[in-house]
Amino acid sequence: MDAPSRDPAQIRRIVPSRVRLVALRSALAIGTLLVLLVALEACARLYLRSHPSPARLTGIPDVAFGTFDPELGWVLKPNVHTRVTAEKFSYELSTSSRGLRGREHAYEHTPDTCRIVLLGDSVAWGWGVDDGLAFADLIERDLGPGVEVVNLSCPGYSTDQELWTLAREGRRYHPDVVMLAFVMNDVLGNEATGDKPRLVRSADGTWAVENQPVADSRIRFGHAGESWREELRSRSALAEVLLRSGAEDATGDGTEEKPPSERKARVTRTYDDICDEIADPQGRTHELLSRIAALCREMNARPLAFDVVHKHDRYLYEPKVAIPSGAPTSGFETRVTRRLREAGLEIGFETLSLDQALLDVVRTGTVLHCGDGHLNARGHEIVARELEKWIRADLDRRR
């Protein structure tokens, strides 16, 4: 017996109904998946607020708070709140809507306020200490509402990136004072290239900037072949939780891995050579310092430079390291500080020595670093105290 044939009109009604049913079920499944992913992303963000995030650097900040920038190489992400942990320390950090560590500051400020712009690397940024404990924050707290400190520091920066940060962003804050936190490895960083621009000298003696804009290789956030993982981790808290490996949690020590060019320079350059390059009028670092001073004059801002120890002159932050024989009980200065002062006298910016103040405290047996050479909270207190003396004197002169 032949199967009963369906009415063509009935078939036309059934087929669209089935298509609509399949489409409805697919949309429902996709919608449910999206809602689930959004919920998981929200949970992951809450989790990262309280759970340590490994501090793994490959020459620039970890993807948790760093991002590519074609003019500077890298900058900090805005509106980040996370906790960074390593073998020897753990700290909580936040960035503002402009990607700066510290509270929000408007570009304009009242005439009766002393606006200070701080340039520096991870030391001035506050690597290793919780929000509010870096010396920039302490200065604002101690000196009150009449003094503001805008911290433009960024982990991994050298003098060149600090110059370009001042030109691009610092001038917008109309600073009265520009403070440069100098670290000896800035000399080596100024020589490095690849993931950042560099100032180079041509045969005719003129200076020019090369590798700007910087090519976005995407490898900077991880190792070759893992860029897609790191890209996901940089954009999603859920991916950060799922893709980071246990090895990172176990071995990350929060130290900065320098670019190959800088590691090579570290081997072939002595401590004295590096220090002497600061005061060499023909040197790259001297030229960068000169440009910062010139930009300060253009902005009618008073420049101040000071050396902050980090993995050099370790006796200034670690009591177990022998103090140089014959170190005086007053007026002690490292070679870095002396060379920086010589450059300042020639170029036209003021310098401040922190060496004796740090040495006095270390002589009492106090450790002033968080475990990897960066200042701990006590170290930041000492730096803040010495800078506050200079700021108060500067305010008195202005009055």
Side-chain angles (χ1 to χ4, degrees), residues 45 48-49 53 61-67 75-84 91-104 125 131 233-235 237 240:
R45 294 191 179 195
L48 288 179
R49 283 178 176 266
S53 177
D62 182 79
V63 293
F65 49 90
T67 188
V75 293
L76 299 179
K77 293 179 181 178
N79 302 315
V80 169
H81 182 89
T82 188
R83 175 164 287 277
V84 175
Y91 65 99
E92 186 174 7
L93 72 91
S94 303
T95 61
S96 69
S97 63
R98 297 192 180 113
L100 306 180
R101 196 167 187 195
R103 71 176 182 87
E104 295 281 349
W125 182 75
D131 287 338
R233 289 175 59 183
S234 70
R235 298 179 182 276
E240 165 69 9

Side-chain angles (χ1 to χ4, degrees), residues 352-384:
L352 177 68
S353 175
L354 308 174
D355 301 336
Q356 186 65 55
L358 294 169
L359 187 61
D360 288 343
V361 177
V362 171
R363 276 174 164 157
T364 68
T366 304
V367 175
L368 297 181
H369 68 108
C370 63
D372 70 345
H374 288 88
L375 294 174
N376 59 17
R378 180 62 177 137
H380 279 274
E381 289 176 1
I382 297 168
V383 172

Side-chain angles (χ1 to χ4, degrees), residues 232-249:
L232 283 175
R233 289 175 59 183
S234 70
R235 298 179 182 276
S236 167
L238 179 60
E240 165 69 9
V241 172
L242 296 177
L243 294 179
R244 70 188 189 190
S245 65
E248 292 177 28
D249 293 298

